[in-house]
Amino acid sequence: MFSLAAYRFRDVLTVAGGPVERLQLADMTVLGRRAFLANAFLRDGLVGHSWRDQVFNPAHGTGTAASPMVARFMAISESMERWAHWQLHNSAARSRYGFDVDPSSNGMAAFPGLCTRQARVAVLLEATERHNLLHWWEGHLPAAESDSQWPGVSVATICSELPAVTVVLFRRTADGFVAYGHAAAPDFAGACRKAAIEMERHALIIARFAACHAGRLTDGLPESAHPIERRCLFFATETGHELFLERLRSAHKKPAARPKLVFDGAVPGPWSRYADVWRVVFAPPSDRFLGDEENYFFW
């Protein structure tokens, strides 16, 4: 897609009057290839306090790409999406954008393009991914297990009637834990490439946490930790991975999921000066993904 990021982000930093207080950039490796991980932090007052301070990076937007410039642009775009979500998900306008059905940021994306609808391309893929993942985990969709093009990396392909291909990649880490990544793309190879980035980021998260907790992932979080954080660590353990494989290798026993569209449209606001935000959200199978279950495969 044609991007105007260099132009629309020209004054996005706080020093120029914009919403992004600072950017960070670091090196990482994605299955043997060098990549760059960028983080964007919004200035105070635009978003509330983040609970994800035990396991996850506290950045409001992240991006990973082979180019440091593209990684920064991706991180800024995601921070615009998070800004929009925080301002609207609990507002009087929440039902207008489907937050009464799904109050999370599922199915949201921002893109600094020439026209607003360009943002919908990425959004539709994410909405498909989240719909398929939640319905698969709750037994409404089947999945097929196979090997990937990368040694030691396995793939679960979730089958549904929505367009695009949804996959979950998983592999053992050097420390014996299990890292996962899921994504959707128009084709299988593209979905695997996107999921590989998420898988390697998960591997970094659990490696960092284990290094700070005597090589352990269990018993390292306080009881007050958010379930999203606990799930991220639980499924990296042997117990969590066994549960994942049990679900993967079991037949779906519930009625097949038929997508029910809740909202598909632009989400305008002050962030629109920098990037266009769009949301596509399908009705989830239940509200379990928002609950306290540690053993629910979603984070």
Side-chain angles (χ1 to χ4, degrees):
M1 291 189 297
F2 183 70
S3 173
L4 293 176
Y7 175 74
R8 296 187 68 174
F9 292 161
R10 66 193 185 282
D11 56 358
V12 75
L13 293 177
T14 301
V15 293
V20 177
E21 184 178 64
R22 69 185 190 278
L23 296 169
Q24 293 177 339
L25 187 69
D27 275 87
M28 68 176 294
T29 301
V30 178
L31 296 174
R33 293 190 175 186
R34 187 187 186 192
F36 295 90
L37 173 64
N39 295 316
F41 298 83
L42 295 170
R43 59 179 168 81
D44 290 342
L46 297 184
V47 294
H49 173 69
S50 174
W51 48 261
R52 296 185 295 184
D53 53 7
Q54 301 288 334
V55 176
F56 296 109
N57 188 311
H60 300 111
T62 62
T64 304
S67 161
M69 180 180 68
V70 173
R72 290 189 188 98
F73 288 163
M74 292 173 68
I76 294 170
S77 294
E78 186 171 271
S79 71
M80 297 300 101
E81 166 206 327
R82 299 300 165 81
W83 180 13
H85 172 256
W86 184 261
Q87 294 294 321
L88 295 172
H89 81 283
N90 204 28
S91 71
R94 63 194 305 264
S95 61
R96 184 186 310 168
Y97 303 106
F99 292 118
D100 55 329
V101 175
D102 182 349
S104 74
S105 62
N106 282 345
M108 294 185 72
F111 186 75
L114 187 62
C115 61
T116 303
R117 200 171 179 84
Q118 280 183 275
R120 187 179 184 271
V121 176
V123 169
L124 186 57
L125 291 174
E126 182 185 306
T128 296
E129 170 204 332
R130 301 303 168 87
H131 172 276
N132 289 348
L133 186 70
L134 297 180
H135 282 81
W136 165 71
W137 185 254
E138 295 197 22
H140 295 280
L141 289 174
E145 184 179 1
S146 63
D147 294 328
S148 75
Q149 61 178 302
W150 302 289
V153 179
S154 298
V155 188
T157 304
I158 302 174
C159 309
S160 85
E161 65 181 64
L162 283 171
V165 178
T166 301
V167 301
V168 181
L169 263 61
F170 55 98
R171 71 168 180 87
R172 289 278 177 185
T173 69
D175 297 322
F177 302 120
V178 184
Y180 306 84
H182 43 80
D187 57 77
F188 178 76
C192 287
R193 286 193 298 270
K194 289 174 62 178
I197 293 174
E198 298 304 317
M199 180 179 67
E200 294 307 283
R201 284 164 61 169
H202 185 216
L204 285 175
I205 289 169
I206 57 181
R208 181 182 62 193
F209 188 89
C212 295
H213 294 83
R216 295 168 55 86
L217 296 184
T218 57
D219 305 322
L221 288 177
E223 292 184 3
S224 59
H226 197 280
I228 292 291
E229 293 186 306
R230 290 190 274 111
R231 293 170 188 171
C232 170
L233 299 183
F234 171 75
F235 281 98
T237 67
E238 199 62 40
T239 301
H241 187 53
E242 288 177 0
L243 181 62
F244 171 82
L245 291 178
E246 179 184 345
R247 173 65 197 94
L248 175 58
R249 294 165 183 172
S250 301
H252 72 289
K253 300 178 181 179
K254 298 180 181 179
R258 301 299 301 271
K260 180 182 178 182
L261 185 65
V262 174
F263 177 76
D264 181 359
V267 184
W271 43 84
S272 302
R273 174 180 175 182
Y274 308 98
D276 299 300
V277 176
W278 197 282
R279 189 179 200 212
V280 175
V281 62
F282 296 101
S286 71
D287 60 359
R288 286 177 54 197
F289 74 103
L290 298 170
D292 293 330
E293 294 178 58
E294 180 181 72
N295 58 354
Y296 192 100
F297 191 79
F298 179 80
W299 62 88

